[in-house]
Amino acid sequence: MNEFGLIGAYFARPARKALLGVGDDCALLASPPAGEVLAVSVDMLVEGRHFFADVDPRALGHKALAVNLSDLAAMGARPAWFTLALALPRVDEDWLAAFSSGLFALADAAGIELVGGDTTRGPLTVSIQVAGHVPADGALRRAGARAGDDVWVSGHLGAAAMAVRHRCGDIVLDDDVLAHCAGRLDWPVPRMLLGERLRAHASAALDVSDGLVGDLTHICTQSGLGADLEWARIPVDPVLRRCGEVERRQAALSGGDDYELCFTARPGERQAIEALSQLLALPLTRIGVMRSGDGVAVRDTDGCRLETGRSFDHFSSP
């Protein structure tokens, strides 16, 4: 099978939203609705750096799109279209069928359309660019936090990082714990609806991909502030209660791969955010406060600062 046969067999679909989709030199896309702008993001997943060689290709297709949708969610954007660049060491039709199945299952659920891309031979690499629509004056940004704002996070943290440590041989998880953690690592859920709803309540937001403390530091830097978090409030995944305290803390605070949303909001928004949590059946936990200064401090019940470990960095992390 050549390049164009591969695209035709596994990735070509009739255009629904685009004026012209897969098959030409360029896609043709309509302008955003009046009063809205494009929100655009791109992520690259490289074998051995972002996923293990034996990953289920269906899960990889899902995750490759999910991590990009999570970026749209963090800005409060509604998904519109995406492109795919795929490098393959060889053409494996069973692998491609599974990968495209996982990719399009999430795309259909999210209402986002593949409009083009590229394929080539090379080390297994998946790069996806997404675009969405967001009101011109309504996008959530990292620079919007103010001193005194509450810090919130969605869902639970730490399970995906524990799955990575198990697969690297650093720890050994019981089978039932591993099954749960592997599900969180391989099948992340982008918080798209939450992101759209937060436009009415949050002052700043981002997605937790490289670790809570490291990612929240970006809000601090962009907003010119610091943050104090309470360890007792951090929503560590309940399944990790069977792990050691230090392991749990490092996984939840710096482990990464959670793809939850961390956001700030004025104290007057607490009731509305708690109601939103009930509406979406999604835990939204208030974990700290923004303050003057810089950096992120995590404190225990006695107010002592805790060691958090180093969040993932693409060039300095192992």
Side-chain angles (χ1 to χ4, degrees):
M1 180 179 293
N2 64 20
E3 176 184 3
F4 301 104
L6 184 159
I7 293 170
Y10 297 105
F11 299 107
R13 285 177 146 195
R16 293 172 296 169
K17 300 178 181 179
L19 303 178
L20 183 66
V22 176
D24 273 71
D25 290 306
C26 295
L28 300 179
L29 309 169
S31 299
E36 297 191 349
V37 294
L38 281 176
V40 180
S41 181
V42 63
D43 263 305
M44 183 186 305
L45 300 183
V46 179
E47 181 182 323
R49 189 61 175 164
H50 302 99
F51 60 90
F52 294 92
D54 62 350
V55 67
D56 175 357
R58 186 173 287 100
L60 181 59
H62 169 95
K63 186 169 184 175
L65 182 56
V67 301
N68 284 274
L69 290 174
S70 185
D71 286 334
L72 291 181
M75 300 289 287
R78 184 177 68 258
W81 54 261
F82 71 102
T83 60
L84 167 68
L86 183 63
L88 298 166
R90 64 187 182 281
V91 175
D92 180 332
E93 295 195 48
D94 290 338
W95 190 97
L96 284 163
F99 175 86
S100 60
S101 173
L103 179 79
F104 284 125
L106 179 57
D108 291 343
I112 192 169
E113 182 174 33
L114 178 65
V115 296
D118 192 25
T119 60
T120 190
R121 183 175 179 177
L124 183 57
T125 304
V126 185
S127 183
I128 286 180
Q129 181 185 55
V130 290
H133 301 148
V134 65
D137 59 352
L140 297 171
R141 305 185 183 188
R142 298 178 178 184
R146 294 164 289 181
D149 279 2
D150 293 325
V151 180
W152 297 77
V153 71
S154 67
H156 296 100
L157 306 176
M162 287 300 233
V164 171
R165 294 196 62 192
H166 176 94
R167 290 178 177 177
C168 289
D170 298 332
I171 59 173
V172 177
L173 299 175
D174 293 340
D175 288 347
D176 57 333
V177 176
L178 176 60
H180 173 83
C181 293
R184 292 286 288 138
L185 174 66
D186 294 336
W187 298 90
V189 179
R191 304 302 186 184
M192 295 175 292
L193 184 54
L194 172 63
E196 290 189 56
R197 296 296 183 92
L198 284 178
R199 293 202 307 260
H201 308 293
S203 53
L206 47 60
D207 76 328
V208 181
S209 55
D210 297 328
L212 174 64
V213 171
D215 286 323
L216 179 56
T217 299
H218 299 314
I219 288 181
C220 292
T221 300
Q222 294 291 325
S223 298
L225 296 169
D228 286 326
L229 305 184
E230 298 177 46
W231 168 240
R233 289 180 174 268
I234 303 297
V236 182
D237 197 300
V239 78
L240 301 188
R241 290 171 184 156
R242 290 154 63 178
C243 301
E245 173 71 11
V246 173
E247 292 173 335
R248 293 173 63 246
R249 186 166 71 238
Q250 291 188 347
L253 297 178
S254 60
D257 267 306
D258 292 303
Y259 297 100
E260 297 293 348
L261 297 189
C262 177
F263 58 96
T264 62
R266 298 300 292 169
E269 296 288 345
R270 290 177 185 175
Q271 187 173 354
I273 292 171
E274 289 165 357
L276 181 59
S277 176
Q278 293 293 318
L279 178 67
L280 299 180
L282 173 65
L284 301 177
T285 307
R286 183 164 51 90
I287 59 174
V289 64
M290 302 298 295
R291 54 165 169 79
S292 60
D294 57 22
V296 178
V298 182
R299 303 187 184 280
D300 64 17
T301 53
D302 296 322
C304 297
R305 189 164 181 166
L306 298 172
E307 176 61 41
T308 62
R310 188 177 65 178
S311 292
F312 180 80
D313 180 270
H314 285 86
F315 290 96
S316 62
S317 296

